[in-house]
């Protein structure tokens, strides 16, 4: 019985590794990080995440938001392994927010 106890942690680590390599876990991390960022920095826009996808062009994830007026905004979230930093496209959201909400 003790000889097979090591299989459980190895199987769990293998499953997590497969989900991470296939992009399922990083995609969810990008969704949570992006949603939390826009809720904290742009609360009056009431942005909702409409999708997260891998963008080969940028080498990062592309996250899309829709505001209460129906306008769509997108920016990249990276790095690809642990996507928590919003990048290109964020300046456009900041600019729109400063012009219309402050």
């Amino acid at each position: 019985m003790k000889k097979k106890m090591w299989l459980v942690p190895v199987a769990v680590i293998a499953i997590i590794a497969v989900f991470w390599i296939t992009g399922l876990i990083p995609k969810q991390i990008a969704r949570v990080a992006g949603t939390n960022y826009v809720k904290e920095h742009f609360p009056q826009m009431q942005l909702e995440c409409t999708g997260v996808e891998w963008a080969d062009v940028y080498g990062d994830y592309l996250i899309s938001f829709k505001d209460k007026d129906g306008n769509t905004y997108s920016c990249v979230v990276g790095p690809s392994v642990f996507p928590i930093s919003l990048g290109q496209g964020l300046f456009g959201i900041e600019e729109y927010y400063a012009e219309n909400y402050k």
Side-chain angles (χ1 to χ4, degrees):
M1 187 75 157
K2 286 188 177 186
K3 291 182 181 179
K4 294 188 179 185
M5 290 299 291
W6 63 271
L7 286 175
V8 174
V10 170
V12 169
I13 291 171
I15 290 170
I16 291 172
V18 166
F19 285 152
W20 207 291
I21 291 170
T22 59
L24 292 174
I25 292 176
K27 193 174 185 179
Q28 293 305 315
I29 292 171
R31 179 181 299 272
V32 170
T35 302
N36 287 340
Y37 185 89
V38 297
K39 283 185 179 181
E40 181 181 330
H41 291 90
F42 315 115
Q44 295 174 344
M45 288 178 74
Q46 299 175 0
L47 294 172
E48 291 183 29
C49 180
T50 58
V52 178
E53 61 186 62
W54 175 254
D56 283 332
V57 175
Y58 301 111
D60 289 326
Y61 289 91
L62 184 65
I63 187 167
S64 301
F65 300 99
K66 188 173 267 191
D67 68 5
K68 61 184 176 185
D69 299 327
N71 299 324
T72 303
Y73 306 94
S74 298
C75 60
V76 296
V77 184
S80 60
V81 178
F82 196 70
I84 58 170
S85 178
L86 276 69
Q88 186 174 355
L90 184 60
F91 181 72
I93 301 171
E94 290 172 344
E95 191 173 87
Y96 182 82
Y97 187 76
E99 289 176 4
N100 297 301
Y101 291 99
K102 285 191 175 183

